[in-house]
Amino acid sequence: MLYVCTYYSGRGTGISKFSTAALEEPITPPVKVELTKLLINGQFVDAASGKTFPTLDPRTGQLIANVAEGDIEDVNRAVPAARKAFDEGPWPRMTAYQRSKILLRFADLVEKHTDEIAALEAWDNGKPYEQAASVEIPLFVRLFRYYAGWADKIHGLTLQADGPHHVQTLHEPIGVAGQIIPWNFPLLMYSWKVGPALACGNTVVLKTAEQTPLSALYVSKLFHEAGLPPGVLNIVSGYGPRVGAALASHMDVDKLAFTGSTNTGQIVLGLAAKSNLKPVTLELGGKSPFIVCEDANVDEAVDLAHDALFFNQGQCCCAGSRTFVHERVYDQFVEKAKARALKRVVGDPFRKGVEQGPQVDSKQFDKILKYIRSGVDGGATLETGGQRFGSNGYYIQPTVFSNVQDDMLIATDEIFGPVQTILKFKDINEVIRRANATHFGLAAGVFTQNLDTANTLTRALKAGTVWINCFDVFDAAIPLGGYKMSGHGREKGIYSLSNYLQVKAIWVDGGATLETGGQRFGSNGYYIQPTVFSNVQDDMLIATNEIFGPVQTILKFKDINEVIRRANATHFGLAAGVFTQNLDTANTLT
């Protein structure tokens, strides 16, 4: 079914009149669902209980497939598999270059199977197929290639310490990583979590969202085709209070990464702390301001603000869900924003040209409509939308509110749906104060032609990402993460690697006796005192490395065979000297 919003909305009445649209049967997705089991130790297996749960088509609410329902016992199978793969398996022991080749082969396979993967993602989630195929899967592939490039460039440092010590740091994989991903971007969140974890040499137990388990299972099969050893990546589908809680609480999980709501993030963080104090990365909710300044080109600002909010059916943690518009252009902006929403194409995500599919499930659908009702009851002006769209599935009309006040629920809470709230402001100091008056801090957008205004807002806004004259621009190398209750830690880029590494400091006591010297000579130039070490051992750096300076190292030996063996125990072979009065000894050593 394809719906194009061509209706008139009586302003402020909350009543919409729609043109009649022909209903069509949902398009049959061009893919078969073949993988519905758990992935544990390289094998697709049933849940220990034998239970399954339904994953539904949000276009109709009808069954797509029954998927193995993981539980605590399944987590207790997956974690030991990941532990054994880390402690005994080849993944953390192979060269980093070998790991990178497997990641690259995987990215190539995903790219080859774009059509099937995009179809699963659109079918299970409700997002437009074109969005999944042309935007999200290319980002997925790019991210895995990015972290494949990092795999053999992870290294520690050699450090200068006070005293006769050699000090270095090692950046080592942290171990078994538990990862919990959301339903709004199943594939992208998979890549943001699994990519850096595996590049660093860790093993993973991943919990998918119960609403959208299918695409992760498909691509994980491709991962094993690319050469991933068994047990390195395990997938347990199921519900948060059972699988998610078990993973967060597990004493043998070394690291936890979670993307989801702030409320659930608080629960996950508490469970991790109460178990083994495992470190936790959180990417949580947002209520991002999108600020349209008085100098803005209104037409361009309307289009950008529209995309910032309605992208992915509004189910985006970064969504520009508080649209602050300067009073001088406010009325003009509202009229144009309403007109743009009326033109938004809503319908079957498999139909070409559709901009907005259904919400992910009935729970999200009902939640959004409840917030819309609260906006009307609270006195905001419903410019357009506000109702269910069509009679089947979880479609909601693109909705625009004006005259929104800061204390209304539609302005304070994360709606996670196609609901644009437009607020009026007078000056830059006011909008800074109001934009920051939230416990969220994930992202912000600014639309202005004034560089000083852009710089002022960039510094003043308390958010992990600020987009200037753009929005929802993502790159594998650029970090994303929140301030305040939008989480802590960063996803993507070099910053994400630190989530999956632990730092070990190694001190080596020289042990040799410094007989003389060892310091700078004088205060100018590059003079060094003549230096002599005694009691030097063969494995000390001063005995193995070419110092190329005024440092004499004196080693003790007992007999000729010993000294021959030790003298030859080096990868150098340029020259040697012998001091003896015995010709036989000289000939033997020569």
Side-chain angles (χ1 to χ4, degrees):
M1 47 189 164
L2 174 66
Y3 299 101
V4 181
C5 304
T6 56
Y7 56 89
Y8 168 77
S9 173
R11 181 167 180 168
T13 66
I15 300 173
S16 300
K17 296 182 180 179
F18 293 86
S19 63
T20 303
L23 296 178
E24 299 178 8
E25 287 297 315
I27 294 173
T28 301
V31 65
K32 292 183 178 180
V33 177
E34 297 177 344
L35 298 172
T36 59
K37 297 184 178 183
L38 311 180
L39 175 60
I40 298 177
N41 202 29
Q43 300 293 320
F44 286 98
V45 298
D46 291 322
S49 67
K51 291 182 179 180
T52 61
F53 68 92
T55 184
L56 304 179
D57 184 344
R59 302 175 302 166
T60 62
Q62 297 176 357
L63 180 70
I64 297 175
N66 288 306
V67 178
E69 182 181 334
D71 209 325
I72 296 172
E73 186 175 347
D74 301 296
V75 173
N76 289 338
R77 289 194 290 166
V79 172
R83 172 58 59 196
K84 184 175 181 180
F86 183 78
D87 289 347
E88 303 174 21
W91 186 251
R93 290 163 186 81
M94 67 175 63
T95 66
Y97 179 57
Q98 288 175 305
R99 284 201 299 273
S100 75
K101 290 197 292 183
I102 292 174
L103 295 175
L104 289 171
R105 283 199 295 270
F106 170 61
D108 291 344
L109 284 171
V110 170
E111 198 168 50
K112 181 179 178 181
H113 292 271
T114 291
D115 292 345
E116 303 98 296
I117 298 168
L120 283 175
E121 193 81 334
W123 193 6
D124 214 13
N125 173 274
K127 66 180 65 209
Y129 170 84
E130 292 176 337
Q131 173 186 317
S134 63
V135 178
E136 295 181 18
I137 292 178
L139 284 173
F140 179 100
V141 170
R142 176 69 181 94
L143 190 131
F144 272 97
R145 287 174 177 159
Y146 174 83
Y147 281 113
W150 264 113
D152 60 356
K153 300 169 187 66
I154 297 168
H155 56 77
L157 301 171
T158 300
L159 305 170
Q160 180 66 51
D162 294 335
H165 299 90
H166 170 77
V167 184
Q168 67 184 72
T169 58
L170 298 180
H171 292 182
E172 298 182 328
I174 200 166
V176 176
Q179 301 179 328
I180 302 172
I181 60 174
W183 48 258
N184 58 331
F185 293 100
L187 281 174
L188 283 181
M189 296 303 102
Y190 178 110
S191 68
W192 290 13
K193 300 285 190 293
V194 174
L198 295 191
C200 291
N202 298 282
T203 58
V204 169
V205 178
L206 178 78
K207 180 207 171 295
T208 54
E210 59 268 25
Q211 297 90 340
T212 54
L214 298 179
S215 58
L217 294 170
Y218 189 101
V219 297
S220 295
K221 181 177 182 291
L222 297 180
F223 226 143
H224 286 83
E225 291 179 16
L228 192 71
V232 174
L233 175 61
N234 306 272
I235 309 290
V236 182
S237 308
Y239 295 97
R242 303 295 293 177
V243 176
L247 199 55
S249 301
H250 205 289
M251 293 296 292
D252 210 22
V253 171
D254 301 304
K255 156 74 186 176
L256 194 71
F258 171 83
T259 295
S261 72
T262 296
N263 289 340
T264 306
Q266 290 176 308
I267 295 171
V268 164
L269 188 61
L271 292 172
K274 290 176 182 177
S275 53
N276 59 346
L277 281 175
K278 59 180 71 67
V280 181
T281 304
L282 299 172
E283 197 262 283
L284 306 176
K287 192 69 176 176
S288 301
F290 184 96
I291 300 170
V292 180
C293 299
E294 61 180 311
D295 64 343
N297 179 308
V298 174
D299 289 334
E300 292 177 359
V302 164
D303 283 341
L304 189 59
H306 179 89
D307 291 339
L309 184 283
F310 289 101
F311 175 68
N312 205 53
Q313 294 71 252
Q315 298 168 154
C316 183
C317 53
C318 294
S321 51
R322 289 183 295 153
T323 307
F324 288 95
V325 180
H326 193 276
E327 61 182 4
R328 292 185 183 176
V329 295
Y330 185 85
D331 290 340
Q332 183 184 4
F333 183 96
V334 168
E335 286 301 317
K336 291 178 179 291
K338 171 184 172 181
R340 177 64 183 90
L342 287 166
K343 294 178 182 178
R344 188 165 183 81
V345 182
V346 183
D348 190 322
F350 287 98
R351 193 171 298 281
K352 188 175 179 61
V354 164
E355 296 176 280
Q356 180 177 317
Q359 309 308 130
V360 72
D361 64 7
S362 60
K363 181 180 179 181
Q364 187 64 18
F365 175 84
D366 292 340
K367 172 189 168 185
I368 295 166
L369 290 178
K370 182 179 178 181
Y371 273 114
I372 290 172
R373 288 193 294 272
S374 80
V376 173
D377 294 342
T381 302
L382 180 61
E383 296 287 345
T384 189
Q387 303 291 330
R388 178 177 193 152
F389 197 80
S391 57
N392 296 317
Y394 309 126
Y395 296 90
I396 292 178
Q397 299 168 6
T399 299
V400 177
F401 280 104
S402 63
N403 298 317
V404 178
Q405 304 304 310
D406 292 357
D407 59 352
M408 294 178 178
L409 288 179
I410 58 173
T412 61
D413 291 9
E414 185 178 35
I415 301 173
F416 228 57
V419 181
Q420 185 177 32
T421 60
I422 308 177
L423 304 91
K424 185 186 296 185
F425 74 94
K426 294 181 179 181
D427 59 56
I428 192 169
N429 291 323
E430 174 198 330
V431 79
I432 289 170
R433 174 181 55 77
R434 293 170 62 195
N436 286 333
T438 173
H439 57 271
F440 295 115
L442 188 58
V446 175
F447 200 89
T448 180
Q449 299 179 44
N450 188 302
L451 186 59
D452 288 341
T453 300
N455 286 334
T456 298
L457 288 168
T458 298
R459 295 286 184 161
L461 293 171
K462 293 179 171 57
T465 295
V466 179
W467 285 292
I468 306 294
N469 296 331
C470 58
F471 206 89
D472 272 346
V473 183
F474 297 97
D475 188 283
I478 310 303
L480 179 78
Y483 285 21
K484 299 186 281 188
M485 293 184 72
S486 287
H488 51 71
R490 292 294 181 268
E491 307 261 32
K492 303 190 290 110
I494 187 175
Y495 295 90
S496 186
L497 296 173
S498 62
N499 298 333
Y500 298 100
L501 295 168
Q502 49 192 352
V503 179
K504 178 184 291 181
I506 299 174
W507 291 74
V508 180
D509 187 346
T513 302
L514 181 62
E515 297 289 347
T516 187
Q519 302 292 329
R520 177 176 189 154
F521 190 81
S523 57
N524 296 318
Y526 309 123
Y527 299 90
I528 293 177
Q529 299 171 0
T531 299
V532 177
F533 282 104
S534 64
N535 297 319
V536 177
Q537 305 303 311
D538 292 0
D539 59 353
M540 294 178 179
L541 290 178
I542 57 173
T544 60
N545 290 9
E546 185 178 36
I547 301 173
F548 229 58
V551 181
Q552 184 178 29
T553 58
I554 306 175
L555 302 87
K556 185 187 297 184
F557 72 92
K558 295 180 179 179
D559 57 55
I560 192 169
N561 291 324
E562 174 195 338
V563 78
I564 290 172
R565 174 180 56 79
R566 290 168 61 194
N568 285 332
T570 175
H571 56 273
F572 296 115
L574 186 60
V578 175
F579 195 87
T580 180
Q581 297 181 36
N582 187 305
L583 187 59
D584 288 339
T585 301
N587 286 334
T588 299
L589 289 168
T590 301

